[in-house]
Structure formats: structure tokens, C-alpha cells
């Protein structure tokens, strides 16, 4: 029985690797896209199925069939680990800024042919020449946002909300969720303490670890996508997360849950961008996919569905989109696009050296073990 099971497992692994390597029928191209969970309009709740729409559009435009093999990850670190292992191949990935910088340093991304991405012209100037891609050669911004704190007003006193201290408030022990990735988790402590999230001084990270250890007994769970169900159901009452996801949770909250949101004074501003990894099997097809994602119907559908701010002027200048999102959402998601560059430069994560990364990962393991 074990031998048969092993054979079946090996066969399944071989099939999986074949798919990820771009295998498929002779008449069908396979495009492997790797993205965050809950980060594309997928056809649910009456939304546009962006992947299916691209497949249909491509066949009509080029007379060839394409299949998008779309898979998801929970964090930049998970994506990096899988891609750097060399065991799989993807054509399009959508990392965050600091991870893009790291991947570029390690020659993990290919320069883009913008002749195949004419819709890049709609990307706002505020999102060009940012530190992670100063010459705009490797990336096309997909979304941007700000980290804030989500809280259940049926559990949390309003007087306690307003800064990072809420995440350390003993009144809500067992009701607090913390990020399950080292960069975001350490940043919550660093912002709280007024420390530099890009410091190269290990003592700064030691201070943050000490603060996270103080918080640890109060934490119900370290989460990424799990935060959705836990906040929506009332299983937890406080959690730091990305602004766009607050509206997704708000839309699905239970009757006994009253979710609210605020930005602490110091917090993370980030950009997630579409890139082509060096292991890509279909570069031109990948660029065509990126260009399609910038076109009006999928760009607006994605922005409406995932509730993240878009750097694409086709989206944020569209009156129907503005009406659909509503005043509160527009105020939270677009807190001043003209000021984005200065805020971003002040609070965005930068890439860390390998030595510092190793040091921080050791601290993270120490936190999680204790």
C-alpha cells in the first residue's frame, strides 16, 4: 500500500512540475502566474473572472489558446523561497517593493519589453522611478497601499484605538492577531517604538524583538490570509493588515461584528508590482498578460474586487469606479496620490543585506519558538 501510494505521489509531483514548467497540449500555451491570495477578480460574487477573460481575449486576438495556471502565496517570503528553490517556473509574479529589490540583486527578474506593454502609459508618475526599480526597467505597479489596524467596535473601546499601542493592550489578550511574516511583524514593533524599519543596526532589531516578546502572550495567532475569517467572524478583535483587505472583511462581517479601521501615525506604505522572473518560459506572453491587466475592464474589476488602491489612472479617474467604491473607501484607499512619493520614501521597506536578513530570521525563529 505504501509503495502504491508513493508511486501515485511521485506521479502527481511530476505532473505538477510539468504544469509549472509550461507543459501542456501542443495547441495550448500555459502561462504560470503566481500572486497573493485574494488578489485578483476571480468571478465570485458576480465579479469578472479576470483569468478566464484573458484566456478568451487572447484566443480572439491571436488565434491561439492559452491556459493560465494561477496559483497563490501568503507572503513575499513564501514566494521568494519557492522561486529561489529552482524547483518551479513562473512567468508572472507580483511581489512587494522590498522583495523586488532583493530579487533584482540576485538576478531573479528579467527586464521588460515595454513595446508589449503600451498600457504602462496609464501608470501615474508618482509610481515611477521608485527606489526598487529606479530606471523603470523591471516592474509594472499593480496596487499600492498602507498598513493599518482593524478592530471590532463591539469588543474594543474606541478610546483605546488610534495608535500601535492597541496591538499591545492587555485588555484584549487572546483577541489580537499579528502578522505571520518577519518583516511586517517586526515593523509593527518598530513603528510603535519610533525605530527605523530599515535600520542596519542589529540593536534596533533586538529592541523590536523584545517588544514582540512582550506582545506574544496577548497574541491569539500569527496570521496572513487567515485574518479574513477570524476578523469577519469575531473570533479575533484586533489585527494589523493592509487597508484594502479591511473592506473585504467589512463586506463579510457577521451580525455581531462591527469592524473599524485607522492608520497609525507611522506605518508602512507599499507597492506591489508585476514582474517577470528569470525562470520565465513565455516572456512575450507574460508581457501581453501584464498589458491586459492594465486595460480598463480587468483593471477596474480587480480594483473593485480586491479593494486595493490602483496606481492606474484608468481606474482611479473612472467615475463609475469612484461611485462603486464609495466615499469612505476612496478616502482610506487614496489618502493623497499626489503625496504618495514622499510618504512612500519615508515609510516603505527597503531591502536588507543577506547578513541582516539572516539575523532577523534568527530573531523571528526565536520569537515563534518561545
Amino acid at each position: 500500500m505504501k509503495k502504491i501510494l508513493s508511486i501515485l505521489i511521485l506521479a502527481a509531483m511530476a505532473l505538477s512540475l510539468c504544469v509549472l514548467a509550461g507543459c501542456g497540449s501542443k495547441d495550448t500555451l500555459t502561462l504560470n502566474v503566481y500572486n497573493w491570495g485574494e488578489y485578483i477578480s476571480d468571478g465570485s460574487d458576480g465579479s469578472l473572472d479576470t483569468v478566464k477573460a484573458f484566456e478568451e481575449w487572447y484566443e480572439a486576438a491571436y488565434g491561439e489558446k492559452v491556459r493560465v495556471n494561477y496559483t497563490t502565496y501568503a507572503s513575499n517570503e513564501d514566494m521568494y523561497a519557492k522561486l529561489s528553490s529552482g524547483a518551479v517556473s513562473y512567468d508572472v509574479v507580483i511581489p512587494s517593493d522590498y522583495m523586488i529589490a532583493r530579487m533584482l540583486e540576485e538576478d531573479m527578474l528579467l527586464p521588460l519589453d515595454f513595446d508589449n506593454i503600451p498600457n504602462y502609459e496609464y501608470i501615474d508618475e508618482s509610481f515611477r522611478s521608485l527606489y526598487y526599480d529606479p530606471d523603470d526597467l523591471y516592474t509594472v505597479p499593480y496596487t499600492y497601499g498602507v498598513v493599518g489596524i482593524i478592530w471590532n467596535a463591539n469588543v474594543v473601546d474606541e478610546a483605546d484605538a488610534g495608535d500601535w499601542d492597541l496591538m499591545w493592550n492587555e485588555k484584549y489578550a487572546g483577541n489580537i492577531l499579528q502578522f505571520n511574516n518577519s518583516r511586517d511583524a517586526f515593523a509593527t514593533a518598530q513603528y510603535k517604538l519610533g525605530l527605523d524599519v530599515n535600520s542596519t543596526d542589529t540593536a534596533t532589531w533586538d529592541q523590536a524583538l523584545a517588544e514582540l516578546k512582550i506582545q506574544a502572550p496577548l497574541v491569539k495567532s500569527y496570521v496572513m490570509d487567515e485574518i479574513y475569517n477570524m476578523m469577519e467572524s469575531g473570533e479575533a478583535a484586533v489585527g494589523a493588515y493592509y487597508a484594502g483587505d479591511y473592506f473585504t472583511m467589512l463586506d463579510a462581517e457577521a451580525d455581531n461584528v462591527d469592524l473599524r479601521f485607522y492608520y497609525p501615525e507611522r506605518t508602512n506604505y507599499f507597492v506591489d508590482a508585476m514582474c517577470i522572473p528569470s525562470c520565465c518560459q513565455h516572456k512575450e506572453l507574460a508581457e501581453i498578460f501584464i498589458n491586459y491587466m492594465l486595460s480598463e475592464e480587468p483593471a477596474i474589476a480587480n480594483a473593485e474586487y480586491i479593494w486595493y488602491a490602483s496606481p492606474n489612472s484608468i481606474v482611479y479617474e473612472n467615475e463609475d469606479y469612484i461611485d462603486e467604491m464609495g466615499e469612505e473607501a476612496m478616502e482610506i484607499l487614496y489618502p493623497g496620490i499626489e503625496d504618495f512619493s514622499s510618504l512612500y520614501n519615508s515609510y516603505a521597506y527597503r531591502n536588507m543585506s543577506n547578513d541582516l536578513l539572516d539575523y532577523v530570521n534568527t530573531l523571528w525563529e526565536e520569537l515563534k519558538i518561545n
Side-chain angles (χ1 to χ4, degrees), residues 24 216 283:
K283 184 172 183 288

Side-chain angles (χ1 to χ4, degrees), residues 30 32 58 63 124 129 144-146 148 151 153-154 158 163 176 180 185 195 202 206 216 238 285 291 297 336:
T30 298
N32 295 301
Y58 185 87
D124 190 276
S129 303
Y144 74 98
V146 190
W151 55 288
N154 288 341
E158 187 170 0
D163 55 28
I176 297 170
N180 192 25
L195 302 174
T202 56
D206 292 339
V238 178
L285 179 58
N291 190 63
E297 186 178 21

Side-chain angles (χ1 to χ4, degrees), residues 1 11 18 37 46 79 84 94 97 117-118 140 167 172 184 187 203 209 221 241 270 280-281 318 330 342:
M1 184 67 176
C18 180
M79 180 278 303
S84 62
I94 308 180
D97 35 33
I117 314 175
V140 173
M167 296 278 291
Y172 309 109
D184 281 323
L209 174 64
S221 186
Y241 220 59
F270 64 89
C280 171
Q281 301 292 308
N318 184 279
M330 293 301 292
S342 61

Side-chain angles (χ1 to χ4, degrees), residues 127-203:
F127 298 88
R128 303 192 186 195
S129 303
L130 298 178
Y131 86 90
Y132 60 87
D133 187 11
D135 297 319
D136 297 320
L137 297 177
Y138 296 89
T139 62
V140 173
Y142 179 63
T143 62
Y144 74 98
V146 190
V147 171
I149 294 179
I150 304 166
W151 55 288
N152 182 355
N154 288 341
V155 177
V156 177
D157 294 333
E158 187 170 0
D160 294 329
D163 55 28
W164 286 108
D165 288 344
L166 178 59
M167 296 278 291
W168 274 259
N169 193 318
E170 294 182 359
K171 288 168 58 176
Y172 309 109
N175 251 324
I176 297 170
L177 302 177
Q178 176 59 280
F179 283 109
N180 192 25
N181 76 74
S182 58
R183 195 68 194 267
D184 281 323
F186 272 91
T188 64
Q190 290 166 322
Y191 287 129
K192 178 178 182 289
L193 297 173
L195 302 174
D196 179 6
V197 295
N198 298 305
S199 175
T200 58
D201 183 357
T202 56

